[in-house]
Amino acid sequence: MTRRLPWRLDDTPDAPFPPAETALRDPDGLLALGGDLSPVRLLNAYAGGIFPWFSEGQPLLWWSPDPRMVFRTDGVHLSSRFRRSLRQSAWTLRADTCFEQVIDACAASPRPGQDGTWITRDMRDAYVDLHRLGFAHSVEVFDGNALVGGIYGVAIGRMFFGESMFSAVSGGSKVALAGLAHRLASWGWPLIDAQVENDHLLRMGAEHWTRQRFLALIREQVQQPAAAGDWVDLFGTLAAAEIADPDRP
C-alpha cells in the first residue's frame, strides 16, 4: 500500500507514525512531514524503521526507503592493504567520551554532491538529548589524544541505527565503523542500519535489504533487552590493530 502525499504528523510527540510500508515510491521512502524532534518521537520513529532527514529551510521530513542499506555486524569489509596498515597502527577506539565533538565533526564534513549539511542545529540538539538519555552513542577513533574519526547513531534494544561518520585523517571513519561492528558482533547485535546507498558504504560491505526484510528484523531486535546508558565502560578501549584480523568478530 502506498500514498500519493506524505502523512502530516500530529503535533503530539507520542502520536503514531503511519506504517513504514506506506511510504512514497517517489521520492523513495518519504513517509511523513511535520512533528518535532522530541526524544519520544525520535525513538518511536527509529523503532518503526523511520528516520528524519531534511535540510535547513525544509519542513521536517521522515523517511523509510526501499531498499534499505545495512551492514551485518560481521560483514564490514576492509581491504587487505588497509588491514595491513592497521596491524601497525597505534590508533585506539572508545565510545561516548566526546559525543558532541563527533556530531559537530560530522556536520562540518564536506559531502560529495551536497551543499551544506542536513545536521541542522535542531538536529544536533535532538541527538545530544538522546545521548544524554542513553540512546544515542558515538564511537571515536584517537591517535594519541587527537580525534581522527568517528561515527554516531541511535541504539534501541539490540539494534543500532547509524546516522553519520567522519574522518579527520584518512581511514578514520572506516576504523570507527569497523570498530563499532566488532563490538556489536561480540554483544550479539546482528545489524547496523546505514539508511541509504552510497558507493563508499557498498565498498565496505553494505547490503541492499528490502524494506519488508529490514522491518521484520528490527521490530524483533528493538524489543530485545539492552539497558540504555552510556557505553564508556561497556565498550572499553579497543586497539585499531584488533580489528585488522578478519577472523575476529
Side-chain angles (χ1 to χ4, degrees):
M1 175 184 176
T2 58
R3 290 173 286 104
R4 293 187 177 182
L5 294 172
W7 185 283
R8 182 173 293 277
L9 294 176
D10 189 279
D11 290 337
T12 307
D14 61 355
F17 283 86
E21 294 89 343
T22 65
L24 302 184
R25 295 188 182 277
D26 186 18
D28 177 33
L30 180 58
L31 177 71
L33 59 83
D36 60 18
L37 294 170
S38 62
V40 65
R41 196 183 304 266
L42 281 171
L43 292 174
N44 285 340
Y46 282 103
I50 302 159
F51 59 87
W53 187 25
F54 61 101
S55 300
E56 196 74 56
Q58 290 184 328
L60 208 168
L61 303 175
W62 301 88
W63 302 79
S64 185
D66 186 16
R68 191 79 162 221
M69 291 301 294
V70 302
F71 284 96
R72 299 176 189 270
T73 55
D74 62 356
V76 174
H77 173 72
L78 299 175
S79 70
S80 297
R81 180 179 179 182
F82 190 67
R83 287 184 183 277
R84 286 195 297 272
S85 71
L86 283 185
R87 293 188 182 101
Q88 309 302 318
S89 175
W91 288 1
T92 57
L93 293 86
R94 299 194 289 273
D96 288 347
T97 65
C98 54
F99 181 88
E100 293 187 43
Q101 193 174 344
V102 169
I103 195 171
D104 289 344
C106 289
S109 294
R111 310 287 177 182
Q114 293 186 20
D115 181 15
T117 179
W118 56 269
I119 306 175
T120 65
R121 185 71 192 188
D122 287 345
M123 288 281 275
R124 177 198 187 276
D125 292 347
Y127 288 94
V128 169
D129 285 345
L130 279 186
H131 173 64
R132 290 170 180 158
L133 293 170
F135 291 101
H137 303 281
S138 60
V139 170
E140 308 113 12
V141 184
F142 293 94
D143 184 359
N145 293 321
L147 181 66
V148 297
I151 187 172
Y152 79 93
V154 175
I156 306 174
R158 295 185 183 178
M159 181 65 207
F160 191 87
F161 302 89
E163 275 297 314
S164 188
M165 56 187 182
F166 83 97
S167 292
V169 175
S170 178
S173 63
K174 291 181 184 179
V175 173
L177 174 61
L180 169 65
H182 178 100
R183 276 292 189 256
L184 294 181
S186 73
W187 299 344
W189 297 35
L191 210 66
I192 298 171
D193 175 28
Q195 297 183 347
V196 295
E197 177 180 334
N198 69 50
D199 290 341
H200 177 61
L201 298 181
L202 289 171
R203 286 192 296 270
M204 290 192 68
E207 303 177 4
H208 293 100
W209 279 25
T210 65
R211 183 167 54 217
Q212 181 180 14
R213 181 185 181 189
F214 174 75
L215 293 175
L217 184 138
I218 70 158
R219 286 168 177 166
E220 174 183 317
Q221 291 302 313
V222 298
Q223 299 299 322
Q224 299 300 310
D230 74 58
W231 284 0
V232 175
D233 293 331
L234 183 65
F235 191 95
T237 299
L238 176 66
E242 291 184 52
I243 65 175
D245 185 346
D247 296 325
R248 294 181 179 180

